[in-house]
Amino acid sequence: MVSHDAWLQSDLVKELKVLAYALWDKGWGERNAGNISVRLNPQQMAEWGVAEMASTQWYDLPKPVPALAGQHMLMTASGAFMRHVKENPEQDLGLVRFSEDGSQFTPIAGYAGGGRPSSEMITHLLVHAERQDKGQSVIVHTHADWLLLMSHLHDQSSEAFTKTLWRMCSESLMFFPDGVGVVPWMLPGSLAIGEASGELAKTHRLILWAFHGVLAAGDSLDDAFGLIETAEKAAMIYCQGKMAGRDLPGISDAQIVSLGKHLGVTPIYELDGR
Ligand code: 2HA
Ligand code: ZN
């Protein structure tokens, strides 16, 4: 007989608590900013007894997501403070089940005290739908300072934004050769921002929401966090250069091409590598 709170005692939830606090500690999770979701794998389903958890009320999704039909997901609660997840996991986290046609969800655990999943759930679902066959099960959204500032200072085309980040430090191309997709400012929590993010997630694991924050799809919590940290470092270098009155030329296109060859990664955008 599986204990009803096996999921709360799991390694995944332990890691998630540490990550949520780290997001706040970085300064990226002011108040209730940010949200995290993880699609459950068969091992977690079995170990936590998820199939036996009863459905509660069913709610319509703003748009059906057939790719996630019948799946289960762990997600932070709407209004949860990342700083407090480690103290209140039963309230700030929960598990949801998607209906067999992918048009509805039902909470099955957590969200104690009448909570519900994050306001950004539809975006998470539309991004999971694009990334699940590429190995990613985790999505982290946070308000990373320098990336947010850079969306004010830089051209918002995905290509131009990505190339600047690649130029700022060698690590960028290594960890996100697939670039950063940039969504212009849109209403937080809307279906529109979800659909725009889902479209960009076909080609990118990192998505920047202009004047708002960033979203990363990872193979693990550490992977998603690491992606954000890497892009954030490059954005910091860019912004500090601007603040010093300089447009830093950084790594040349030819050097980026040779770095890509050396690392065995293919940059998503063409570079002038002559
Ligand atoms: O969860 O960050 O985008 C609060 C937010 C909304
Ligand atoms: Zn946000």
mmCIF file of all heavy atoms in Angstrom, residues 86-113:
data_model
loop_
_atom_site.group_PDB
_atom_site.id
_atom_site.type_symbol
_atom_site.label_atom_id
_atom_site.label_comp_id
_atom_site.label_asym_id
_atom_site.label_seq_id
_atom_site.Cartn_x
_atom_site.Cartn_y
_atom_site.Cartn_z
ATOM 1 N N LYS A 86 9.177 25.319 0.194
ATOM 2 C CA LYS A 86 9.812 24.309 1.063
ATOM 3 C C LYS A 86 9.090 24.156 2.398
ATOM 4 O O LYS A 86 9.176 23.122 3.024
ATOM 5 C CB LYS A 86 11.301 24.588 1.256
ATOM 6 C CG LYS A 86 11.668 25.838 1.993
ATOM 7 C CD LYS A 86 13.190 26.042 1.890
ATOM 8 C CE LYS A 86 13.660 27.347 2.479
ATOM 9 N NZ LYS A 86 13.664 27.397 3.921
ATOM 10 N N GLU A 87 8.398 25.214 2.830
ATOM 11 C CA GLU A 87 7.659 25.110 4.101
ATOM 12 C C GLU A 87 6.225 24.609 3.906
ATOM 13 O O GLU A 87 5.656 24.003 4.800
ATOM 14 C CB GLU A 87 7.575 26.480 4.787
ATOM 15 C CG GLU A 87 8.896 27.004 5.307
ATOM 16 C CD GLU A 87 9.153 28.440 4.859
ATOM 17 O OE1 GLU A 87 8.213 29.244 4.835
ATOM 18 O OE2 GLU A 87 10.307 28.723 4.497
ATOM 19 N N ASN A 88 5.646 24.921 2.750
ATOM 20 C CA ASN A 88 4.231 24.598 2.522
ATOM 21 C C ASN A 88 4.008 23.754 1.270
ATOM 22 O O ASN A 88 3.180 24.114 0.429
ATOM 23 C CB ASN A 88 3.410 25.891 2.327
ATOM 24 C CG ASN A 88 3.587 26.873 3.449
ATOM 25 O OD1 ASN A 88 3.603 26.482 4.612
ATOM 26 N ND2 ASN A 88 3.716 28.137 3.115
ATOM 27 N N PRO A 89 4.737 22.642 1.117
ATOM 28 C CA PRO A 89 4.610 21.917 -0.159
ATOM 29 C C PRO A 89 3.198 21.420 -0.444
ATOM 30 O O PRO A 89 2.782 21.386 -1.597
ATOM 31 C CB PRO A 89 5.600 20.756 -0.003
ATOM 32 C CG PRO A 89 5.802 20.599 1.463
ATOM 33 C CD PRO A 89 5.646 21.962 2.060
ATOM 34 N N GLU A 90 2.471 21.084 0.612
ATOM 35 C CA GLU A 90 1.138 20.522 0.397
ATOM 36 C C GLU A 90 0.156 21.564 -0.143
ATOM 37 O O GLU A 90 -0.810 21.242 -0.819
ATOM 38 C CB GLU A 90 0.624 19.991 1.739
ATOM 39 C CG GLU A 90 -0.207 18.774 1.575
ATOM 40 C CD GLU A 90 -0.400 18.042 2.894
ATOM 41 O OE1 GLU A 90 0.441 18.190 3.803
ATOM 42 O OE2 GLU A 90 -1.402 17.321 2.990
ATOM 43 N N GLN A 91 0.452 22.823 0.182
ATOM 44 C CA GLN A 91 -0.396 23.923 -0.282
ATOM 45 C C GLN A 91 0.134 24.485 -1.600
ATOM 46 O O GLN A 91 -0.644 24.810 -2.509
ATOM 47 C CB GLN A 91 -0.381 25.010 0.795
ATOM 48 C CG GLN A 91 -1.060 26.306 0.435
ATOM 49 C CD GLN A 91 -0.698 27.383 1.458
ATOM 50 O OE1 GLN A 91 -0.875 27.200 2.668
ATOM 51 N NE2 GLN A 91 -0.177 28.497 0.978
ATOM 52 N N ASP A 92 1.459 24.594 -1.721
ATOM 53 C CA ASP A 92 2.060 25.284 -2.867
ATOM 54 C C ASP A 92 2.322 24.367 -4.058
ATOM 55 O O ASP A 92 2.705 24.842 -5.133
ATOM 56 C CB ASP A 92 3.372 25.956 -2.443
ATOM 57 C CG ASP A 92 3.128 27.138 -1.511
ATOM 58 O OD1 ASP A 92 1.975 27.609 -1.462
ATOM 59 O OD2 ASP A 92 4.075 27.582 -0.834
ATOM 60 N N LEU A 93 2.128 23.056 -3.875
ATOM 61 C CA LEU A 93 2.306 22.098 -4.967
ATOM 62 C C LEU A 93 1.063 21.227 -5.076
ATOM 63 O O LEU A 93 0.305 21.098 -4.117
ATOM 64 C CB LEU A 93 3.495 21.162 -4.700
ATOM 65 C CG LEU A 93 4.869 21.787 -4.476
ATOM 66 C CD1 LEU A 93 5.885 20.698 -4.120
ATOM 67 C CD2 LEU A 93 5.314 22.537 -5.720
ATOM 68 N N GLY A 94 0.914 20.602 -6.230
ATOM 69 C CA GLY A 94 -0.186 19.653 -6.389
ATOM 70 C C GLY A 94 0.039 18.793 -7.622
ATOM 71 O O GLY A 94 0.955 19.039 -8.422
ATOM 72 N N LEU A 95 -0.779 17.766 -7.723
ATOM 73 C CA LEU A 95 -0.740 16.879 -8.895
ATOM 74 C C LEU A 95 -2.050 17.044 -9.660
ATOM 75 O O LEU A 95 -3.117 17.170 -9.046
ATOM 76 C CB LEU A 95 -0.598 15.420 -8.460
ATOM 77 C CG LEU A 95 0.616 15.057 -7.598
ATOM 78 C CD1 LEU A 95 0.586 13.551 -7.261
ATOM 79 C CD2 LEU A 95 1.917 15.396 -8.307
ATOM 80 N N VAL A 96 -1.947 17.043 -10.987
ATOM 81 C CA VAL A 96 -3.160 17.089 -11.814
ATOM 82 C C VAL A 96 -3.151 15.939 -12.814
ATOM 83 O O VAL A 96 -2.095 15.435 -13.200
ATOM 84 C CB VAL A 96 -3.311 18.429 -12.589
ATOM 85 C CG1 VAL A 96 -3.575 19.593 -11.648
ATOM 86 C CG2 VAL A 96 -2.110 18.711 -13.472
ATOM 87 N N ARG A 97 -4.362 15.556 -13.201
ATOM 88 C CA ARG A 97 -4.575 14.517 -14.219
ATOM 89 C C ARG A 97 -5.277 15.186 -15.401
ATOM 90 O O ARG A 97 -6.166 16.022 -15.191
ATOM 91 C CB ARG A 97 -5.471 13.426 -13.619
ATOM 92 C CG ARG A 97 -6.002 12.387 -14.606
ATOM 93 C CD ARG A 97 -6.830 11.327 -13.852
ATOM 94 N NE ARG A 97 -5.976 10.578 -12.930
ATOM 95 C CZ ARG A 97 -6.345 10.154 -11.712
ATOM 96 N NH1 ARG A 97 -7.567 10.379 -11.268
ATOM 97 N NH2 ARG A 97 -5.498 9.483 -10.945
ATOM 98 N N PHE A 98 -4.875 14.803 -16.630
ATOM 99 C CA PHE A 98 -5.553 15.316 -17.821
ATOM 100 C C PHE A 98 -6.521 14.263 -18.334
ATOM 101 O O PHE A 98 -6.249 13.059 -18.260
ATOM 102 C CB PHE A 98 -4.529 15.730 -18.890
ATOM 103 C CG PHE A 98 -3.619 16.816 -18.381
ATOM 104 C CD1 PHE A 98 -2.298 16.541 -18.038
ATOM 105 C CD2 PHE A 98 -4.114 18.089 -18.152
ATOM 106 C CE1 PHE A 98 -1.490 17.532 -17.501
ATOM 107 C CE2 PHE A 98 -3.316 19.084 -17.617
ATOM 108 C CZ PHE A 98 -1.995 18.809 -17.285
ATOM 109 N N SER A 99 -7.632 14.751 -18.875
ATOM 110 C CA SER A 99 -8.677 13.827 -19.333
ATOM 111 C C SER A 99 -8.204 13.060 -20.577
ATOM 112 O O SER A 99 -7.212 13.429 -21.219
ATOM 113 C CB SER A 99 -9.958 14.602 -19.652
ATOM 114 O OG SER A 99 -9.695 15.568 -20.639
ATOM 115 N N GLU A 100 -8.930 12.020 -20.914
ATOM 116 C CA GLU A 100 -8.523 11.133 -22.014
ATOM 117 C C GLU A 100 -8.554 11.826 -23.372
ATOM 118 O O GLU A 100 -7.954 11.343 -24.329
ATOM 119 C CB GLU A 100 -9.396 9.866 -22.030
ATOM 120 C CG GLU A 100 -9.120 8.916 -20.853
ATOM 121 C CD GLU A 100 -7.653 8.452 -20.746
ATOM 122 O OE1 GLU A 100 -6.984 8.328 -21.796
ATOM 123 O OE2 GLU A 100 -7.172 8.246 -19.611
ATOM 124 N N ASP A 101 -9.277 12.956 -23.468
ATOM 125 C CA ASP A 101 -9.236 13.721 -24.731
ATOM 126 C C ASP A 101 -8.352 14.975 -24.606
ATOM 127 O O ASP A 101 -8.229 15.761 -25.549
ATOM 128 C CB ASP A 101 -10.655 14.116 -25.178
ATOM 129 C CG ASP A 101 -11.326 15.058 -24.185
ATOM 130 O OD1 ASP A 101 -10.725 15.356 -23.117
ATOM 131 O OD2 ASP A 101 -12.447 15.504 -24.474
ATOM 132 N N GLY A 102 -7.739 15.179 -23.443
ATOM 133 C CA GLY A 102 -6.830 16.319 -23.260
ATOM 134 C C GLY A 102 -7.527 17.665 -23.185
ATOM 135 O O GLY A 102 -6.871 18.706 -23.313
ATOM 136 N N SER A 103 -8.833 17.675 -22.929
ATOM 137 C CA SER A 103 -9.536 18.971 -22.902
ATOM 138 C C SER A 103 -9.773 19.476 -21.474
ATOM 139 O O SER A 103 -10.169 20.615 -21.286
ATOM 140 C CB SER A 103 -10.884 18.867 -23.623
ATOM 141 O OG SER A 103 -11.789 18.095 -22.846
ATOM 142 N N GLN A 104 -9.549 18.608 -20.471
ATOM 143 C CA GLN A 104 -9.838 18.985 -19.080
ATOM 144 C C GLN A 104 -8.717 18.516 -18.148
ATOM 145 O O GLN A 104 -7.942 17.623 -18.500
ATOM 146 C CB GLN A 104 -11.138 18.327 -18.621
ATOM 147 C CG GLN A 104 -12.375 18.843 -19.347
ATOM 148 C CD GLN A 104 -13.639 18.264 -18.722
ATOM 149 O OE1 GLN A 104 -13.760 17.047 -18.588
ATOM 150 N NE2 GLN A 104 -14.554 19.127 -18.330
ATOM 151 N N PHE A 105 -8.694 19.129 -16.952
ATOM 152 C CA PHE A 105 -7.778 18.635 -15.909
ATOM 153 C C PHE A 105 -8.543 18.531 -14.606
ATOM 154 O O PHE A 105 -9.575 19.190 -14.414
ATOM 155 C CB PHE A 105 -6.572 19.565 -15.745
ATOM 156 C CG PHE A 105 -6.869 20.857 -15.027
ATOM 157 C CD1 PHE A 105 -6.673 20.980 -13.652
ATOM 158 C CD2 PHE A 105 -7.353 21.957 -15.720
ATOM 159 C CE1 PHE A 105 -6.957 22.174 -12.983
ATOM 160 C CE2 PHE A 105 -7.643 23.155 -15.061
ATOM 161 C CZ PHE A 105 -7.443 23.265 -13.697
ATOM 162 N N THR A 106 -8.011 17.679 -13.714
ATOM 163 C CA THR A 106 -8.588 17.582 -12.371
ATOM 164 C C THR A 106 -7.442 17.495 -11.358
ATOM 165 O O THR A 106 -6.495 16.730 -11.554
ATOM 166 C CB THR A 106 -9.530 16.355 -12.235
ATOM 167 O OG1 THR A 106 -10.047 16.323 -10.905
ATOM 168 C CG2 THR A 106 -8.837 15.036 -12.508
ATOM 169 N N PRO A 107 -7.500 18.279 -10.273
ATOM 170 C CA PRO A 107 -6.503 18.132 -9.217
ATOM 171 C C PRO A 107 -6.711 16.790 -8.514
ATOM 172 O O PRO A 107 -7.858 16.393 -8.270
ATOM 173 C CB PRO A 107 -6.816 19.293 -8.266
ATOM 174 C CG PRO A 107 -7.681 20.245 -9.048
ATOM 175 C CD PRO A 107 -8.445 19.387 -10.019
ATOM 176 N N ILE A 108 -5.609 16.081 -8.201
ATOM 177 C CA ILE A 108 -5.738 14.781 -7.532
ATOM 178 C C ILE A 108 -4.963 14.719 -6.212
ATOM 179 O O ILE A 108 -5.132 13.772 -5.456
ATOM 180 C CB ILE A 108 -5.316 13.609 -8.457
ATOM 181 C CG1 ILE A 108 -3.889 13.802 -8.979
ATOM 182 C CG2 ILE A 108 -6.298 13.451 -9.618
ATOM 183 C CD1 ILE A 108 -3.317 12.575 -9.689
ATOM 184 N N ALA A 109 -4.118 15.710 -5.951
ATOM 185 C CA ALA A 109 -3.372 15.751 -4.673
ATOM 186 C C ALA A 109 -2.839 17.163 -4.481
ATOM 187 O O ALA A 109 -2.675 17.909 -5.466
ATOM 188 C CB ALA A 109 -2.214 14.761 -4.697
ATOM 189 N N GLY A 110 -2.537 17.512 -3.212
ATOM 190 C CA GLY A 110 -1.963 18.826 -2.920
ATOM 191 C C GLY A 110 -2.965 19.960 -3.065
ATOM 192 O O GLY A 110 -4.161 19.757 -2.878
ATOM 193 N N TYR A 111 -2.445 21.155 -3.370
ATOM 194 C CA TYR A 111 -3.275 22.371 -3.476
ATOM 195 C C TYR A 111 -4.189 22.503 -2.253
ATOM 196 O O TYR A 111 -5.362 22.864 -2.369
ATOM 197 C CB TYR A 111 -4.090 22.386 -4.782
ATOM 198 C CG TYR A 111 -3.254 22.249 -6.035
ATOM 199 C CD1 TYR A 111 -3.522 21.258 -6.981
ATOM 200 C CD2 TYR A 111 -2.180 23.104 -6.272
ATOM 201 C CE1 TYR A 111 -2.745 21.128 -8.132
ATOM 202 C CE2 TYR A 111 -1.386 22.972 -7.425
ATOM 203 C CZ TYR A 111 -1.688 21.980 -8.342
ATOM 204 O OH TYR A 111 -0.909 21.848 -9.471
ATOM 205 N N ALA A 112 -3.620 22.185 -1.078
ATOM 206 C CA ALA A 112 -4.406 22.213 0.158
ATOM 207 C C ALA A 112 -4.958 23.617 0.401
ATOM 208 O O ALA A 112 -4.316 24.610 0.070
ATOM 209 C CB ALA A 112 -3.523 21.786 1.328
ATOM 210 N N GLY A 113 -6.131 23.674 0.947
ATOM 211 C CA GLY A 113 -6.743 24.961 1.254
ATOM 212 C C GLY A 113 -7.438 25.589 0.063
ATOM 213 O O GLY A 113 -7.624 26.807 0.032
#
